[in-house]
Amino acid sequence: MSRIGKKPVQIPAGVEVAVDGQHVTVKGPKGQLELDFYEKLSISIEENELVVSRPDDERETRARHGLTRALIQNMVTGVSEGYTKQLE
């Protein structure tokens, strides 16, 4: 079981997420990002959370479940906060 894939993605205020078939678009104050995800996965938006789910436990589906969730989380972070690098 993918622990990363099970976690919902929190959608902060000012960020708009649209799911159209197998295509996700994330718009925010810092820009817009798009992603085409694996056809066996499904994405649903419930209130301010985005949930990625999978229909079976095949090896490729399990691998892409966590990957897709992580990519979408990074997209949401990128359009809301942007990229920062912390130096020591």
Side-chain angles (χ1 to χ4, degrees):
M1 291 294 237
S2 172
R3 286 182 260 166
I4 293 173
K6 284 183 175 180
K7 288 178 62 176
V9 175
Q10 299 296 322
I11 303 171
V15 175
E16 181 182 322
V17 178
V19 179
D20 181 31
Q22 301 304 113
H23 188 78
V24 177
T25 304
V26 181
K27 294 180 187 175
K30 298 210 179 230
Q32 174 178 332
L33 295 170
E34 299 180 8
L35 172 71
D36 290 323
F37 59 93
Y38 188 54
E39 62 269 0
K40 288 189 178 180
L41 298 177
S42 62
I43 295 178
S44 61
I45 300 173
E46 302 163 1
E47 295 178 16
N48 289 335
E49 293 183 338
L50 184 137
V51 179
V52 180
S53 57
R54 66 176 191 245
D56 55 31
D57 284 336
E58 290 181 12
R59 183 181 177 108
E60 187 172 6
T61 308
R62 285 183 293 148
R64 291 186 185 224
H65 184 213
L67 171 70
T68 302
R69 188 259 177 213
L71 290 173
I72 293 172
Q73 174 65 51
N74 290 341
M75 290 167 58
V76 169
T77 302
V79 299
S80 61
E81 300 170 18
Y83 175 77
T84 58
K85 190 171 188 177
Q86 296 286 17
L87 301 176
E88 292 183 29

